[in-house]
Amino acid sequence: MARRRAVGPRRSTDAGRERPGPGRAFSLAAPRFQMKLALRDRTLDLAEPVVMGVLNVTPDSFSDGGLYAGVDAAVARGERMAEEGAAIVDVGGESTRPGAAPVTAEEEIRRVVPVIERLVARIRAAVSVDTSKPEVMRAAVAAGASMVNDVRALRLPGALEAAAGCGVAVCLMHMQGEPATMQVRPDYARVVAEVREFLASRARACAAAGIARERICVDPGIGFGKTPAHNLALLANLAALGADGLPVLVGVSRKSLVGIITGRAPEDRLAGSVAFAALAVAQGASIVRAHDVAATLDAVRVAIALRRAGTGDS
Ligand code: 7PM
């Protein structure tokens, strides 16, 4: 909240510029708050936070029928999310569930490319691909994706170069460990500082690889190698994670954190997820990743309205 209140609507003065800090040479010239995200061929305005819809294209998510039935169902679901107001639809073919079987690049491409091709032709919302593999990034972007969402923050060999070569936006997410084992014993001395430093260092790696700063957003990775206390500390300090001025994306939808707090099964976590979405926006999030787009967008609008009243900007 403080992040937005201090600045208000973006102006082209020096008002929002960060003081130069040690080891942050590029912040000298960069605006403190980047309220936009440059996608491949257009710019997503983040002056008001937006919703990213989650579209899983794994066999367990659309398995009622053959391959084409699965594609049809996934495309219909993506179209519905766009109608409900998603600014981005995030298509993923690799399950990052703890213990999930690894998927080859060929299999991931086979799952996501037909869905991306058809979605891009049918919706105005941007399409992102949730992947860590360079081959999948290239195939998805060739099929029309304009953003890469990577839970490994472009750390696999060749991923950084692939994303840079594709000329798309990137989401850099923090994860401690690997999906199979990340929840075994999450360990941090200072979780907020460590996650912030990781994200800043990955953003520097992107810049060095030629990815424009305007194309980068960052994500604390709720549930990825974190205890409930770690997750809550991050959600309570989101503004600090965007301290380098990059937009913050957050995904809490239906996650076990919501289950632990509310005592509810995944299918009954809508209210808890939506409450977190509103509070994440109040804490400075610019993009909320969610399964339930319409309900989440309502929550985001409520948070925006309250924030606007707080800044006297009505
Ligand atoms: C099983 C466990 C299935 C976890 C799916 C998940 C995020 C993400 C995911 C996130 C970004 C889910 C996660 N979560 N990408 N991909 N941020 N940027 O709940 O929080 O969707 S997968």
Side-chain angles (χ1 to χ4, degrees):
M1 198 66 183
R3 176 185 168 198
R4 306 289 191 195
R5 283 183 60 167
V7 177
R10 179 71 192 285
R11 292 187 191 92
S12 57
T13 65
D14 277 344
R17 285 173 199 264
E18 192 175 44
R19 259 172 266 131
R24 292 209 193 130
F26 61 35
S27 62
L28 264 172
R32 173 145 187 215
F33 302 122
Q34 177 184 308
M35 309 284 250
K36 290 180 172 167
L37 188 64
L39 306 177
R40 182 159 61 162
D41 45 5
R42 63 183 135 149
T43 299
L44 187 61
D45 183 5
L46 298 177
E48 295 198 338
V50 300
V51 174
M52 167 190 265
V54 180
L55 187 58
N56 288 319
V57 197
T58 48
D60 41 323
S61 35
F62 291 99
S63 59
D64 52 338
L67 175 64
Y68 289 102
V71 172
D72 280 347
V75 171
R77 179 97 173 263
E79 285 185 278
R80 176 81 190 278
M81 288 177 179
E83 278 162 20
E84 291 181 353
I88 308 167
V89 175
D90 188 38
V91 181
E94 180 209 23
S95 179
T96 41
R97 200 182 305 273
V103 179
T104 64
E106 294 68 33
E107 175 60 18
E108 231 183 291
I109 289 170
R110 203 180 60 83
R111 290 176 184 174
V112 301
V113 162
V115 175
I116 292 171
E117 268 172 359
R118 288 173 53 188
L119 263 186
V120 167
R122 286 166 197 240
I123 66 176
R124 283 167 46 98
V127 173
S128 70
V129 60
D130 188 343
T131 191
S132 297
K133 299 185 183 76
E135 304 92 323
V136 181
M137 292 174 191
R138 281 189 285 264
V141 172
S146 51
M147 176 170 179
V148 167
N149 170 32
D150 184 5
V151 299
R152 294 179 183 81
L154 306 177
R155 284 178 294 163
L156 287 192
L160 200 51
E161 295 75 11
C166 286
V168 292
V170 298
C171 175
L172 307 172
M173 199 196 80
H174 176 273
M175 168 165 62
Q176 185 177 81
E178 271 293 309
T181 52
M182 65 191 177
Q183 291 306 109
V184 174
R185 206 179 300 106
D187 180 44
Y188 302 85
R190 296 170 61 222
V191 67
V192 177
E194 286 175 44
V195 170
R196 180 180 55 214
E197 183 41 44
F198 171 85
L199 295 173
S201 105
R202 293 310 298 157
R204 287 193 294 270
C206 284
I211 299 175
R213 200 178 150 73
E214 295 71 42
R215 294 202 189 277
I216 304 173
C217 66
V218 296
D219 181 340
I222 298 304
F224 286 83
K226 282 132 195 144
T227 64
H230 293 142
N231 289 319
L232 288 170
L234 289 164
L235 285 165
N237 291 280
L238 280 182
L241 299 175
D244 282 334
L246 298 175
V248 175
L249 187 156
V250 180
V252 195
S253 182
R254 301 183 189 173
K255 284 188 179 171
S256 69
L257 176 64
V258 178
I260 283 161
I261 293 170
T262 62
R264 297 191 190 278
E267 64 272 20
D268 295 324
R269 293 176 188 166
L270 176 61
S273 299
V274 158
F276 264 131
L279 293 165
V281 168
Q283 294 290 325
S286 291
I287 306 175
V288 178
R289 185 177 178 278
H291 301 83
D292 306 282
V293 170
T296 304
L297 187 53
D298 280 358
V300 167
R301 285 177 172 144
V302 167
I304 291 169
L306 211 51
R307 185 175 74 195
R308 206 178 274 148
T311 57
D313 183 21
S314 45

